[in-house]
Amino acid sequence: MNIEQARFNMIQQQVRPWNVLDDQILELLEEVKREDFCPAEHRDMAFMDLEIPIGHGQVMLTPRVQARLVQDLQLKPTDKVLQIGTGTGYMTALLASRSQQVQAFEIHPELVKQTADNLRKAGISNVDLRHGDGLAGALANGPYDAIVLCGSVPAIPHELQDKLATGGRLIGVVGHEPMMHVHLVTRINSGTFDTVKPWDVIIPRLEGFPEVSRFRF
């Protein structure tokens, strides 16, 4: 496999058609080597439009979904970012490359180790990586300029939104199969939030977020 040709094809044929048009994000996909964050047995799948299994029932999201989430957050170099669910650290590396610091939570210790090793090899040092329940950890810290949920949730807890700084953004995939929507929440001021739903995608559940009843009486 010609790795650079495969990376180019990924960007041009998968990512761009998903309205990822920010040149800085596209350049970032060239700089952060996705294949280095894939499990060795799936390295040849690094540039495919597939969710890659990483163990513990978890997956590495498709390149187009990860790129679109990062683009829509509109990160600034001064931002403090919260990430819940690191997987093997690829998304963490993208976020860290666009911000001042990432505080990242992963519930599976083996994935924490993989993320730490992969970030170290990539030369990324501005990540505060923690093992534990991301929602509980987030509520004990903050505020954050940006929050990204790297898996779908039934609903975004109001107390998590409250951890946004004024002007901060939270992005996550919300809902149940067969219909899930990306929610992009912006904190306008202390008591006002603006939510838009710019696109739809179905991705696996993020652990640690309580399911909500879908029945109404």
Side-chain angles (χ1 to χ4, degrees):
M1 177 179 65
N2 183 322
I3 289 182
E4 293 311 317
Q5 184 62 50
R7 194 186 328 277
F8 176 84
N9 292 343
M10 176 192 78
I11 293 170
Q12 299 301 322
Q13 297 173 13
Q14 297 175 40
V15 176
R16 273 187 178 275
W18 255 53
N19 289 323
V20 181
L21 304 175
D22 185 325
D23 287 338
Q24 292 183 329
I25 299 300
L26 298 176
E27 290 171 4
L28 184 62
L29 298 180
E30 295 180 353
E31 295 167 4
V32 179
K33 306 305 182 186
R34 181 177 170 87
E35 66 273 19
D36 292 342
F37 291 83
C38 290
E41 65 271 23
H42 298 308
R43 188 180 173 92
D44 59 347
M45 298 169 60
F47 308 108
M48 295 181 183
D49 187 23
L50 298 170
E51 292 178 344
I52 299 173
I54 57 175
H56 309 284
Q58 306 300 303
V59 300
M60 189 176 186
L61 298 176
T62 63
R64 55 189 169 90
V65 169
Q66 291 179 314
R68 184 74 185 270
L69 290 171
V70 175
Q71 174 183 262
D72 289 4
L73 269 180
Q74 298 184 321
L75 294 173
K76 300 184 290 293
T78 56
D79 279 347
K80 180 180 179 182
V81 181
L82 167 69
Q83 180 193 22
I84 301 181
T86 68
T88 59
Y90 179 67
M91 187 76 163
T92 314
L94 296 179
L95 297 168
S97 298
R98 297 285 296 160
S99 62
Q100 183 178 83
Q101 186 187 42
V102 176
Q103 187 174 87
F105 288 89
E106 172 55 54
I107 201 166
H108 296 285
E110 295 86 355
L111 293 178
V112 173
K113 183 180 185 304
Q114 287 184 47
T115 294
D117 290 344
N118 290 337
L119 292 175
R120 177 180 53 78
K121 292 174 184 176
I124 294 173
S125 58
N126 59 328
V127 175
D128 175 14
L129 179 61
R130 304 187 182 190
H131 169 232
D133 182 300
L135 180 57
L139 299 183
N141 294 277
Y144 303 96
D145 301 298
I147 298 173
V148 58
L149 309 180
C150 294
S152 64
V153 296
I156 295 175
H158 293 296
E159 59 267 32
L160 184 59
Q161 291 185 177
D162 286 339
K163 287 299 178 176
L164 287 172
T166 299
R169 293 85 57 212
L170 182 155
I171 197 164
V173 178
V174 180
H176 302 267
E177 292 193 60
M179 183 65 67
M180 297 181 183
H181 308 281
V182 171
H183 285 213
L184 179 60
V185 181
T186 303
R187 184 166 203 160
I188 307 301
N189 54 45
S190 61
T192 305
F193 298 86
D194 176 67
T195 301
V196 296
K197 303 174 185 179
W199 45 288
D200 300 336
V201 68
I202 295 174
I203 62 174
R205 270 290 188 251
L206 185 63
E207 296 181 57
F209 283 72
E211 293 289 335
V212 295
S213 173
R214 300 175 65 183
F215 297 97
R216 296 181 179 179
F217 297 94

